[in-house]
Amino acid sequence: MSSLHTLTGAIYLLQIFGSAFLAILFLQSGIDKIIDHRGNLEWLKGHFAKSQLAGVVPVLLTAITILEVAAGALSAIGCIILIVSRETTLAFYGAVISAVALIALFFGQRMAEGYAGAAVLVPYFLLALVAIYLLAQ
């Protein structure tokens, strides 16, 4: 095992931390949407009430829940595999699905004219892009 105090070691740590962060972010969010489905659905119906997406909120909630759980699970399992064997494939796909989920969330916020909520997503999206780049190594 090479030293962590090298460029290769630093990239390895960035891969682990990025994957762990995305795992925590999306597993927590996705599991919350499953556990409190009714509360999330009611909030989202109100949030999208004046948008073109108002009629499809239940379908969108299901889709984003699936994306978030998939992104979190792939990132979590990928992070563990990365630590054990330095294999990046699963973590890479976790980061890709994370970026897709964030694009979907960003689209929804923009459609609902939730500009502050959309702006909050930008750092997460940038992290996902950096993780994709680092995990493609």
Side-chain angles (χ1 to χ4, degrees), residues 35-47:
I35 292 171
D36 187 21
H37 183 77
R38 182 174 292 136
N40 278 283
L41 183 58
E42 290 308 313
W43 185 87
L44 288 169
K45 282 182 179 178
H47 188 64

Side-chain angles (χ1 to χ4, degrees), residues 23-89:
I24 293 165
L25 174 68
F26 285 109
L27 282 175
Q28 185 279 324
S29 186
I31 290 169
D32 175 67
K33 285 176 176 65
I34 293 168
I35 292 171
D36 187 21
H37 183 77
R38 182 174 292 136
N40 278 283
L41 183 58
E42 290 308 313
W43 185 87
L44 288 169
K45 282 182 179 178
H47 188 64
F48 287 104
K50 296 179 183 178
S51 81
Q52 296 171 343
L53 301 175
V56 292
V57 169
V59 173
L60 294 176
L61 177 57
T62 300
I64 198 65
T65 301
I66 291 167
L67 280 172
E68 287 184 349
V69 170
L74 286 171
S75 294
I77 296 165
C79 184
I80 293 166
I81 291 171
L82 184 57
I83 292 167
V84 171
S85 69
R86 293 195 176 218
E87 169 58 43
T88 62
T89 304

